[in-house]
Amino acid sequence: MPEDQRPHARRTTVTLHDVAAAAGVSKSTVSRILDERLPRSESSTAERVRRVAAELGYRRDPSAASLRRGKTMTVGVVVPRLTDTVMAMFYEAVAHACQRSGQFAIVATTDDVPRADRTAAEALLARRVDGLILTTARADDDFPSQLAARDVPYVLALRTDGHSLSSVGDDRLGGYLATRHLLDLGHRRIGLIAGPSYAASALGRAEGYRRAMAEAGADVAPAWIVESTFGIESGADAARTLLSRRPRPTAVFAINDNTAIGALSAIEGMGLSVPADVSLVGYNDIPIVSRLSTPLTSVRVPFDQIAATALDLLTAGTVHPGDRVRVAAPTLIPRRSTGPAGA
């Protein structure tokens, strides 16, 4: 007798049909109860189905379920680099949001080079991801438009081009809060480490800085604004440039925490003290800044909210035209790196 016809032979794979037959319900009922993406039912039938599935050793096959739906339940995330704590935090937030919805996130890095953005996106699409979350948008880049023309589902995150589906922090508000904090402490000569001009996030924060300064009637000297990248060394270079100007700024708003960390190192290296000689504010509130020898005042960005919204937008695909860019409010977190002017 063939082995698979012997009375005690057991198949290695337990199917939905097996669970349904043993539990005395339909296959569709079993599928619905065991689908972790749906709200958990506590009915007696659901409890029986889960117990039978466990006894039989049933294991859900995500690939088979994906084939039935025509989706892979996989999201591609493109970031400049994972050595940037902000990008690592954001990707982790996306991964957690995916887990909650029965999806999986795959990341690709580009070193913030436009040509590499395209290569990374195409590589993810070749692996049949259901859509892309891009954190690398540039003001002068038409790549999102090219994706739209191909009907590729995508959402921009952290940066936006102003018309694509986007989930971002309110960078204008964040820049305003950072600068308003320094103004409220009596500072009027406030330098800005401005970040790269291709990034909407940096431009928004700089716009918030200018708005706060204008409201306070404080002059914005061109010499007090220095463009940088988002990196630590660039922040240090920018701080040295700012503090060599005369009159010297009494406070500095750095466009992100990395540049602020670089600025802090440069300021101390010049024999100056934070905040006695120079107050300093960063942006994003990455975990390390509260642990520095001089804990850094920073603007906290709700990455979990931005990630969850990006995934929701990607899943929805279409929204009201006036609601294409979703904005999450940041919060100022004051610490010891800021103090009164002239203190």
Side-chain angles (χ1 to χ4, degrees):
M1 179 182 294
E3 182 176 340
D4 61 356
Q5 295 181 17
R6 293 175 187 169
H8 300 291
R10 179 172 177 170
R11 285 175 292 180
T12 58
T13 302
V14 178
T15 66
L16 286 174
H17 179 78
D18 297 328
V19 178
V25 297
S26 69
K27 182 179 173 181
S28 61
T29 296
V30 173
S31 178
R32 185 172 61 254
I33 290 171
L34 298 182
D35 190 336
E36 295 176 353
R37 298 171 301 124
L38 299 176
R40 181 183 173 90
S41 172
E42 301 298 340
S43 69
S44 59
T45 299
E47 292 292 343
R48 183 171 73 255
V49 167
R50 283 193 286 267
R51 184 179 68 254
V52 168
E55 291 172 351
L56 294 179
Y58 171 76
R59 294 292 182 271
R60 181 172 176 269
D61 184 351
S63 61
S66 297
L67 286 172
R68 289 193 297 271
R69 291 187 295 266
K71 293 180 177 293
T72 63
M73 303 303 291
T74 305
V75 173
V77 185
V78 179
V79 301
R81 55 188 66 83
L82 285 176
T83 52
D84 183 330
T85 304
V86 167
M87 294 301 166
M89 291 172 66
F90 177 74
Y91 171 65
E92 187 174 84
V94 171
H96 290 163
C98 284
Q99 289 169 8
R100 291 192 295 270
S101 62
Q103 300 179 80
F104 186 76
I106 301 176
V107 67
T109 61
T110 69
D111 206 30
D112 222 359
V113 176
R115 183 178 299 175
D117 290 350
R118 290 165 167 76
T119 301
E122 294 299 340
L124 290 168
L125 292 171
R127 286 158 177 77
R128 299 183 62 244
V129 297
D130 295 329
L132 299 169
I133 295 177
L134 308 175
T135 68
T136 51
R138 289 172 169 254
D140 57 352
D141 189 12
D142 64 351
F143 183 49
S145 298
Q146 294 174 20
L147 292 174
R150 293 164 52 189
D151 291 325
V152 174
Y154 76 93
V155 170
L156 306 184
L158 302 182
R159 305 179 194 171
T160 180
D161 59 9
H163 56 81
S164 296
L165 289 177
S166 305
S167 178
V168 297
D170 191 336
D171 293 301
R172 293 181 182 85
L173 174 60
Y176 177 87
L177 292 175
T179 310
R180 184 73 256 175
H181 172 66
L182 294 170
L183 289 164
D184 288 344
L185 288 170
H187 297 279
R188 289 297 180 271
R189 301 199 307 271
I190 302 173
L192 173 67
I193 299 178
S197 59
Y198 61 74
S201 54
L203 295 175
R205 293 166 200 174
E207 186 177 328
Y209 160 85
R210 290 188 177 90
R211 175 188 155 204
M213 294 289 280
E215 280 188 5
D219 292 332
V220 177
W224 293 347
I225 300 177
V226 178
E227 190 170 319
S228 66
T229 69
F230 287 119
I232 293 174
E233 286 304 319
S234 184
D237 291 340
R240 283 189 284 266
T241 297
L242 276 174
L243 297 178
S244 67
R245 303 281 163 80
R246 294 293 180 269
R248 189 178 71 200
T250 63
V252 173
F253 168 36
I255 215 70
N256 73 347
D257 287 337
N258 281 343
T259 54
I261 290 169
L264 178 62
S265 174
I267 292 167
E268 292 177 343
M270 296 174 72
L272 300 173
S273 175
V274 173
D277 299 308
V278 183
S279 283
L280 180 63
V281 179
Y283 203 103
N284 288 314
D285 198 37
I286 62 176
I288 194 174
V289 300
S290 66
R291 304 288 184 174
L292 297 173
S293 56
T294 301
L296 183 67
T297 295
S298 188
V299 177
R300 179 174 295 168
V301 175
F303 293 114
D304 288 347
Q305 180 182 345
I306 294 171
T309 299
L311 189 60
D312 287 345
L313 287 171
L314 189 64
T315 302
T318 58
V319 298
H320 187 276
D323 198 29
R324 296 182 65 80
V325 179
R326 304 282 179 86
V327 181
T331 307
L332 179 77
I333 308 298
R335 297 192 181 96
R336 295 209 317 266
S337 68
T338 50

